[in-house]
Amino acid sequence: MGRMRAWTVDRPGPIAGRPLRLVERDVPEPGPGELLIRVRACGVCRTDLHLAEGDLPPHLPGVTPGHEIVGEVAGTGHGVRRFTLGDRVGVAWLRTTCGACSYCRRGAENLCPASTYTGWDADGGYADYTVAPEAYVYALPPAWDDVEVAPLLCAGIIGYRALRRAGLPPGGRLGVWGFGGSAHLATQVALAEGATVHVFTRSPEARALALSLGAASAGDSLDRVPEPLDSAILFAPVGELVPAALERLDRGGTLAIAGIHLSGVPGLNYQEHLFQERQVRSVTANTRADGEEFLRLADRFAHPGSGGVPRLQVTTTPYDLADADRALEDLAAGKVNGAAVLVV
């Protein structure tokens, strides 16, 4: 099949130390039930940063990160039926599940103990080509171009699951901590559903973006909130913000923590932060049903005025594949507005 470029996590460590290395390797061959995908774009997720820096130790030595992959089917393994050569497809974080455990049988495959993940257990999309199981690959809404649709495959799907886990009531008041790729998409879904959204972020550019999208307020991470919140979502991987978010919840409110990694939580006090039936929920990956549901919603959001829903604004910062390490450095430094996307 020839040769290709791929970034690998050579030695996990601080991103300033350049833990990623650009190598040349053979184009992989698809196995039974797999697709060979020529990558056209790949979103840059904070999980990739955690992987590069060692907060998430790689499950595969020298793994290629990237799990917001948009590409074209370039080859098929035995038994492939859903897709054919040339089809545009999307590959997300969840790669495989066992399909037989109690979690899979009850529709909670994101909790499957045998689950594997793109760009962690197997090579992902920071490359010219990748391989993925057909059963876990998505057909993509045609109205979105490659760069726009890439962040929907993790930032969008996980943000959507986090919004549902936050238990936001109709017309409710939502607080959002951190305002990167995932948060700016979840916020728009909440606004379209009639919520009032208050955003908390250290970035002045992100605060300006939040207000332009319709947030009722946008302040620094520890600023006071104009009103008590029914729900909150923590996208920033900063444990000290957990008590801050809980303090701003009304009685009976719910905080959803959306990241796969969170630093330690200091100063949590039951009486002050959890009493009056406030609760904390984590968000663990997503199911394929979450992905299909969100992409259907994104397809509806792609057509202005459809059912009174405004077009979803996907704010992206493109980088060439050769600049993947710089994209992660910028993400770590808070320099990315919206979502970073590698263009191949």
Side-chain angles (χ1 to χ4, degrees):
M1 286 294 294
R3 304 283 283 174
M4 70 172 193
R5 299 167 298 166
W7 285 93
T8 68
V9 179
D10 191 24
R11 293 182 179 177
I15 198 65
R18 299 294 179 93
L20 264 65
R21 186 162 63 98
L22 185 60
V23 301
E24 187 176 284
R25 57 171 52 157
D26 290 337
V27 173
E29 292 279 351
E34 292 184 335
L35 303 173
L36 173 66
I37 297 165
R38 182 175 68 82
V39 179
R40 298 189 341 197
C42 183
V44 177
C45 179
R46 188 162 290 275
T47 300
D48 303 332
L49 180 61
H50 292 318
L51 182 76
E53 295 199 312
D55 296 322
L56 297 178
H59 287 173
L60 176 70
V63 70
T64 294
H67 55 272
E68 298 176 321
I69 305 167
V70 179
E72 176 183 321
V73 177
T76 58
H78 177 72
V80 164
R81 293 180 176 83
R82 292 175 57 215
F83 298 104
T84 189
L85 294 180
D87 285 351
R88 189 175 78 144
V89 296
V91 182
W93 176 235
L94 186 68
R95 179 179 176 84
T96 62
T97 57
C98 75
C101 68
S102 60
Y103 305 105
C104 286
R105 292 198 307 271
R106 73 177 196 229
E109 65 180 1
N110 60 310
L111 302 179
C112 174
S115 56
T116 66
Y117 298 94
T118 309
W120 192 16
D121 296 281
D123 290 328
Y126 286 24
D128 290 311
Y129 290 87
T130 193
V131 165
E134 181 193 41
Y136 293 79
V137 168
Y138 296 96
L140 298 176
W144 298 98
D145 68 32
D146 294 344
V147 173
E148 285 182 312
V149 81
L152 302 186
L153 289 163
C154 181
I157 293 171
I158 292 297
Y160 179 72
R161 184 172 182 88
L163 181 61
R164 295 294 176 252
R165 291 282 290 165
L168 183 65
R173 303 156 297 178
L174 175 68
V176 173
W177 271 261
F179 206 72
S182 199
H184 92 285
L185 296 171
T187 290
Q188 291 176 76
V189 175
L191 289 167
E193 293 177 344
T196 300
V197 181
H198 301 283
V199 171
F200 302 86
T201 175
R202 65 184 181 179
S203 165
E205 293 80 11
R207 291 197 289 269
L209 175 60
L211 293 172
S212 74
L213 293 174
S217 71
D220 207 344
S221 300
L222 298 177
D223 282 355
R224 295 178 63 85
V225 69
E227 57 184 338
L229 303 172
D230 299 299
S231 301
I233 307 174
L234 177 60
F235 288 103
V238 182
E240 68 184 43
L241 295 178
V242 170
L246 288 169
E247 285 173 8
R248 289 154 178 78
L249 284 179
D250 206 348
R251 298 181 178 207
T254 299
L255 167 64
I257 300 173
I260 192 172
H261 170 77
L262 185 71
S263 61
V265 180
L268 191 64
N269 179 282
Y270 174 75
Q271 201 70 30
E272 183 179 354
H273 300 125
L274 292 172
F275 193 54
Q276 303 293 354
E277 300 197 351
R278 296 175 183 87
Q279 58 182 317
V280 180
R281 291 178 172 177
S282 67
V283 178
T284 301
N286 64 276
T287 66
R288 281 172 287 177
D290 293 328
E292 298 288 355
E293 187 175 327
F294 176 73
L295 289 172
R296 283 195 298 271
L297 185 66
D299 189 34
R300 186 160 65 94
F301 274 43
H303 306 285
S306 175
V309 175
R311 180 177 171 86
L312 194 67
Q313 300 298 311
V314 184
T315 303
T316 59
T317 303
Y319 293 80
D320 189 271
L321 174 64
D323 296 323
D325 53 351
R326 182 166 63 86
L328 284 176
E329 286 180 9
D330 288 350
L331 181 63
K335 295 180 180 178
V336 177
N337 206 20
V341 179
L342 304 180
V343 180
V344 183

